[in-house]
Amino acid sequence: MMERPEIISLPKVKDVRGSLSFTESFTHVPFDIRRVYYIYDVPGGESRGEHAHKALNQLFIAVSGGFFVDLDDGLGYKQTFYLSRPDQGLLLPKGYWRKLYNFTSGAVCLVLASEVYDETDYIRDYHQFIHEKQTNGHSLS
Ligand code: T46
């Protein structure tokens, strides 16, 4: 499975009618896509995320507008990405604290996810996240 977060390019088919991009399980994303959700109408100054997942792998796509994504693995890796291209995605493995913020007006974040929704997969307390990472190494229990 994925090791580090990375930006991937998605196919783009462009003609006089406009552009079309697509993604398929195991072709562009290294997991079976079990769920799709999207975040939109985010008011200026609001942020999303601020949690980590124990098992969930995801692909984030800015299908409209743009936003920042701060990532933290709890063990020293910290990285900020700016997503604004519908023909690119951010592959995010399990185990990263994430914060999405500074959404432009009308921005839409499409998320392809490897698991169905499960609240027990979330760690929503940053201190607990750091403690678990530093106790268990890379895995979250
Ligand atoms: C993530 C960031 C980027 C559901 O019922 N089903 C779902 O599939 C999802 C994703 C959420 N919900 C419910 C759970 C909460 O009552 O929707 C409500 C808002 O969810 P949450 O506060 O987790 O929203 P975000 O934007 O902070 O986080 C979401 C995802 O949960 C998370 O996986 O990485 O987007």
Side-chain angles (χ1 to χ4, degrees), residues 35-39 42 47-53 56 58 60 67 69 92 96 98-100 103 109 111 113 115-119 121-122 124:
R35 178 168 51 118
V36 174
Y37 63 89
Y38 35 98
I39 298 167
V42 179
S47 56
R48 310 288 309 210
E50 299 189 72
H51 54 246
H53 285 284
L56 190 71
Q58 294 159 294
F60 293 168
F67 50 87
V69 184
L92 181 57
Y96 285 82
R98 83 288 313 276
K99 177 180 177 182
L100 286 64
F103 286 75
C109 173
V111 184
E115 311 294 337
V116 297
Y117 177 72
D118 175 6
E119 185 58 35
D121 188 61
Y122 287 71
R124 293 188 182 271

Side-chain angles (χ1 to χ4, degrees), residues 42-97:
V42 179
E46 290 293 339
S47 56
R48 310 288 309 210
E50 299 189 72
H51 54 246
H53 285 284
K54 300 174 190 173
L56 190 71
N57 299 301
Q58 294 159 294
L59 179 72
F60 293 168
I61 305 170
V63 290
S64 181
F67 50 87
F68 288 89
V69 184
D70 281 354
L71 300 177
D72 174 357
D73 76 347
L75 297 169
Y77 168 98
K78 288 182 196 261
Q79 188 82 41
T80 299
F81 293 90
Y82 185 68
L83 301 185
S84 63
R85 288 182 54 166
D87 61 348
Q88 288 187 343
L90 172 62
L91 267 177
L92 181 57
K94 63 186 176 184
Y96 285 82
W97 192 267

